[in-house]
Amino acid sequence: MSSDAPGFELPLRLLLAFRALIDELHAELSRQGHPDIRPMHGFVMQAIGPGGTTAVELGRALGVSKQAAGKTVESLERVGYVERATDPHDSRRKIVRLTPYGMDALHRSARIFDDLRARWAAELGVERLRALEADLRKVTPANPWRLDTPGWFTSL
Amino acid sequence: MSSDAPGFELPLRLLLAFRALIDELHAELSRQGHPDIRPMHGFVMQAIGPGGTTAVELGRALGVSKQAAGKTVESLERVGYVERATDPHDSRRKIVRLTPYGMDALHRSARIFDDLRARWAAELGVERLRALEADLRKVTPANPWRLDTPGWFTSL
DNA sequence: ACACAATAGACAACCTGATTGACTATGTTG
DNA sequence: CAACATAGTCAATCAGGTTGTCTATTGTGT
């Protein structure tokens, strides 16, 4: 058939679908007591993880400088999602840990993402959704992490 | 089955797939004589369109202020993708038009996106790819445009 | 016709999130 | 223990965005 979609539709739809999920996530998080959380926060908190990190590690994980990571941590600290404490084993390091409030945000995010996925499953059918996920896995790198998203798109 | 993917994988894969396409596009554009083009440029030039536009309209289309749109146009102008001329019918307006070099970039982008889609078709199978596109259409808003992407993700 | 409102664009000041460079304090190692 | 490496902070700078203000032009209502 010659009715194939133009190539540019694919990236557009992928981005829009991503945005749709993220926007719905944050609308719901806002309803559930996290009105100040921003899209970036989720990624950063995910990168921090349950065990905590340091600014340098976080910067590496996120693909930004340690200074930028430090500033991000500061802003997360201001809204109460993380806290810092000096490492007893190495007094140079300051461990960044999620607060209970941060943990709550992360748990709720996971839950909401599951719900959103369920909505897609209802809309598309479970098999189609699984196929979609499988196909996306095929065309994306195996190791998801190291999203150096910040500024990647916008920088002119 | 309980082997369903966790919900957070979906947005992650969507973003990674988007990035993969955009990165490959720009790698190829660089090879084809457009080394300075940045991801944002393509969206902006697409928004400018073959007929040209003004800073105000562009700002509206992109969801940013007219000043921001003006600055973006300046930077596009510096690298030779657009040019400005005063509207003969309204001497307040300055029409922003794509230069031949800008047109070339846009045409090549369209071609490269088609090629990338063909690669996905080869990898996933034509039917699967069509299903993927159809599913993405179902879960994204009908009218694609008005990507107010700039700063949407990063703003803390 | 003319006063007044609306629009397009430019300029300035400021904000945020990133960068690099320099510096201090602490660990690690030959 | 001297030399080097690492963690974090401070300071200056940059880029891209914002709002506010201003001028020049166009559109409109009486």
Side-chain angles (χ1 to χ4, degrees), chain B residues 65 67-68 71-72 90-92 150:
Chain B
S65 65
Q67 293 91 333
K71 288 187 192 181
T72 303
D90 183 343
S91 49
R92 290 170 306 176

Side-chain angles (χ1 to χ4, degrees), chain A residues 16-141:
Chain A
L16 288 170
F18 172 71
R19 280 211 54 168
L21 285 176
I22 297 294
D23 286 345
E24 290 178 273
L25 167 73
H26 284 87
E28 188 56 36
L29 275 176
S30 183
R31 271 177 234 122
Q32 296 189 14
H34 292 276
D36 294 332
I37 202 171
R38 307 279 313 128
M40 197 62 206
H41 290 163
F43 282 82
V44 174
M45 292 198 286
Q46 197 73 42
I48 291 172
T53 340
T54 69
V56 169
E57 285 175 54
L58 185 59
R60 258 197 278 275
L62 260 44
V64 301
S65 63
K66 60 181 182 176
Q67 293 92 332
K71 288 188 192 179
T72 302
V73 167
E74 266 181 56
S75 90
L76 265 294
E77 202 175 18
R78 267 198 300 277
V79 278
Y81 283 116
V82 305
E83 59 191 0
R84 273 185 289 189
T86 30
D87 184 342
H89 303 328
D90 183 343
S91 51
R92 291 170 306 177
R93 290 160 44 101
K94 291 199 179 168
I95 311 257
V96 180
R97 263 194 226 80
L98 295 174
T99 62
Y101 186 51
M103 295 281 202
D104 182 69
L106 221 45
H107 292 148
R108 285 178 193 273
S109 294
R111 174 67 183 275
I112 294 166
F113 273 136
D114 286 342
D115 291 349
L116 290 172
R117 183 183 183 279
R119 266 174 45 194
W120 281 32
E123 195 164 351
L124 305 175
V126 186
E127 288 315 316
R128 289 288 286 256
L129 179 56
R130 285 186 186 146
L132 190 150
E133 288 172 332
D135 289 344
L136 288 179
R137 271 181 222 116
K138 268 200 196 172
V139 296
T140 51

Side-chain angles (χ1 to χ4, degrees), chain B residues 14-95:
Chain B
L14 289 166
L15 178 59
L16 287 170
F18 173 72
R19 282 211 52 169
L21 284 175
I22 297 295
D23 286 346
E24 289 178 274
L25 168 72
H26 284 86
E28 188 56 35
L29 276 176
S30 184
R31 272 176 234 122
Q32 296 190 14
H34 292 276
D36 294 332
I37 203 170
R38 307 278 313 127
M40 197 61 207
H41 290 163
F43 282 82
V44 175
M45 291 198 288
Q46 197 74 41
I48 291 171
T53 205
T54 69
V56 169
E57 284 175 52
L58 185 59
R60 258 196 278 275
L62 260 45
V64 300
S65 65
K66 60 182 182 176
Q67 293 91 333
K71 288 187 192 181
T72 303
V73 166
E74 264 182 58
S75 90
L76 266 293
E77 202 176 17
R78 266 199 300 277
V79 278
Y81 284 116
V82 306
E83 59 191 1
R84 274 185 288 188
T86 30
D87 185 341
H89 303 327
D90 183 343
S91 49
R92 290 170 306 176
R93 292 160 44 100
K94 290 201 178 166
I95 311 256

